[in-house]
Amino acid sequence: MRPSDAIAHVRHLAFLGLPSEVVIPRMLEALHALIGSRINGFIWSDARGLPTNIYSPVIYMAAREVMVGGYHLMQRPGELAIEDLINGPRVIDNIAPWRDSGRLERTVLYNEVFVPSEAEQMLDLVLRDRDGPKGIVFLTRGAREKSFGLKDRRILLGLAPAFLRALRVGAPTSADPDADEPAEARFLEDGGSESMIVCDLAGEVLEMSADAHVMLDCANHGLIAPGQASTDLPGLPAAVKRALAAGTLTNTPVTVRSIWGHFRFRAFPTAMASGGGLVVLIRQLETLSLRVIDRLRDTPLSPRQREVALLVATGHGPDAVAARLGVSRSTCRDHLENVHARLGVGSRAELVAALVG
């Protein structure tokens, strides 16, 4: 993918209006294609710059230790903390003064989180608006890898408005499984990735893959229980445990909502050395708009045509598309005709089938 297309893809993801916890992980995937990094992630913060949540799939457990705050217990006065980066004087590369002075290598944050993850180099982008800081994007590379350059900084800085938009427009995911959602936020039963959890018959987690660990934490709203270390195995959500106790999970899947999206659980009996057990499959469901935007990524459409195609494929009528884009209905119709011609479809129904089915 050309850099210009990857940048457009990040901006289109921010355009979706999904909760930031759902869309920012996908924006980070696209960012990785633009700026090669060993690890990237995002830390949400409150108005004081204190971390409130984190997403980083590669250094997930080490990063969660930062969120739990255990490293604070080992810090010496004046050492670098995450809030120092978020409240730093710069928009980009607030870690530079610590790195350039040699103070970074003497901090607990560096030695307990960065070094074990081979993430000795870091580039950060702080996101702020009139109400204060919102969070920080971070990218890392190993000590022997190429340093982040001026081009990397320009690309990251240019994407700041997209990340801010994602933080502003996305409404939190409802915890009510029966609540209505806009069409573009609808979750698809046949999409998303799936991982495996091994439990005993009482539903206590015995073993899981690293991917399942991340998904299960996210299904539990990405929160670590008081007194729980981030390396402990998380438990199944309460709704899943109730279904196991009732004996229905092997026949009827259970879908759990959290701030990170929708997660579907289903169970299968299995034989274990200690007796009977269960394999629980957890699937993070895909939203309709994310599926469509992924399928639009490699099409020959212009950025505006992709926006029109996205809105049409997610159920918006002509008036709604025109209003959303701030154009006349006739202009919207012209864009849609061009979309049909470039994708080789003859109707709205064929367009939806190509992008959703």
Side-chain angles (χ1 to χ4, degrees):
M1 182 187 298
R2 295 178 304 175
S4 58
D5 290 336
I7 290 171
H9 185 60
V10 174
R11 291 172 175 162
H12 286 145
L13 286 166
F15 171 82
L16 298 179
L18 295 173
S20 64
E21 292 88 354
V22 173
V23 75
I24 281 181
R26 299 295 285 271
M27 295 174 73
L28 292 173
E29 289 180 18
L31 179 62
H32 183 74
L34 279 167
I35 305 176
S37 58
R38 180 176 294 271
I39 299 162
N40 63 18
F42 188 86
I43 299 173
W44 286 259
S45 77
D46 62 18
R48 297 170 296 168
L50 297 174
T52 58
N53 214 334
I54 189 167
Y55 181 83
S56 180
V58 180
I59 56 168
Y60 185 76
M61 301 317 301
R64 291 305 296 273
E65 282 293 347
V66 173
M67 291 304 304
V68 173
Y71 80 100
H72 281 292
L73 302 177
M74 300 180 285
Q75 276 189 302
R76 294 178 291 273
E79 276 199 8
L80 175 69
I82 295 296
E83 53 266 33
D84 295 324
L85 296 179
I86 295 175
N87 288 315
R90 307 182 183 192
V91 174
I92 194 165
D93 211 12
N94 271 306
I95 204 167
W98 292 82
R99 179 185 62 237
D100 297 343
S101 67
R103 291 181 294 163
L104 178 63
E105 288 79 1
R106 298 193 295 271
T107 65
V108 171
L109 181 62
Y110 179 82
N111 288 290
E112 298 297 327
V113 178
F114 292 172
V115 172
S117 306
E118 298 183 351
E120 293 89 348
Q121 298 187 63
M122 178 174 169
L123 178 64
D124 58 90
L125 171 71
V126 178
L127 300 168
R128 301 187 183 98
D129 62 14
R130 290 177 297 178
D131 298 324
K134 299 296 182 184
I136 185 170
V137 182
F138 64 89
L139 302 90
T140 72
R141 288 176 179 168
R144 297 183 180 181
E145 294 179 274
K146 180 182 177 181
S147 299
F148 292 106
L150 181 59
K151 181 180 178 182
D152 299 324
R153 288 168 170 78
R154 285 175 174 168
I155 291 173
L156 188 57
L157 190 59
L159 292 174
F163 277 97
L164 275 172
R165 179 182 175 87
L167 289 166
R168 288 175 184 148
V169 302
T173 302
S174 171
D176 178 5
D178 299 318
D180 292 334
E181 292 177 305
E184 60 267 28
R186 178 164 59 86
F187 286 81
L188 304 171
E189 293 297 318
D190 63 339
S193 56
E194 193 168 59
S195 292
M196 184 176 73
I197 303 166
V198 178
C199 303
D200 62 20
L201 293 176
E204 292 301 313
V205 176
L206 304 176
E207 188 178 352
M208 68 179 74
S209 67
D211 288 345
H213 198 156
V214 174
M215 277 198 274
L216 189 53
D217 262 339
C218 289
N220 286 312
H221 289 276
L223 302 176
I224 292 178
Q228 175 192 358
S230 67
T231 51
D232 293 344
L233 294 179
L236 296 174
V240 178
K241 283 194 169 184
R242 287 195 296 270
L244 279 174
T248 59
L249 192 62
T250 53
N251 300 315
T252 306
V254 171
T255 299
V256 174
R257 286 189 184 185
S258 85
I259 59 174
W260 300 101
H262 290 200
F263 300 83
R264 188 179 64 193
F265 293 79
R266 54 197 179 107
F268 302 91
T270 185
M272 300 171 61
S274 57
L278 294 167
V279 170
V280 177
L281 296 181
I282 176 174
R283 177 184 293 272
Q284 183 168 9
L285 302 183
E286 185 179 27
T287 67
L288 173 60
S289 55
L290 285 176
R291 173 178 291 186
V292 172
I293 205 73
D294 280 347
R295 293 184 177 180
L296 285 169
R297 181 165 43 184
D298 297 322
T299 62
L301 302 181
S302 70
R304 178 60 91 184
Q305 289 166 354
R306 290 183 189 184
E307 291 173 356
V308 171
L310 170 67
L311 291 171
V312 170
T314 52
H316 294 78
D319 290 337
V321 174
R324 180 80 173 263
L325 299 180
V327 299
S328 68
R329 182 167 178 160
S330 62
T331 299
C332 178
R333 184 176 61 248
D334 291 341
H335 282 311
L336 187 56
E337 288 176 357
N338 289 329
V339 167
H340 288 175
R342 289 195 172 192
L343 296 185
V345 297
S347 66
R348 293 169 64 94
E350 288 184 16
L351 175 63
V352 172
L355 296 177
V356 179

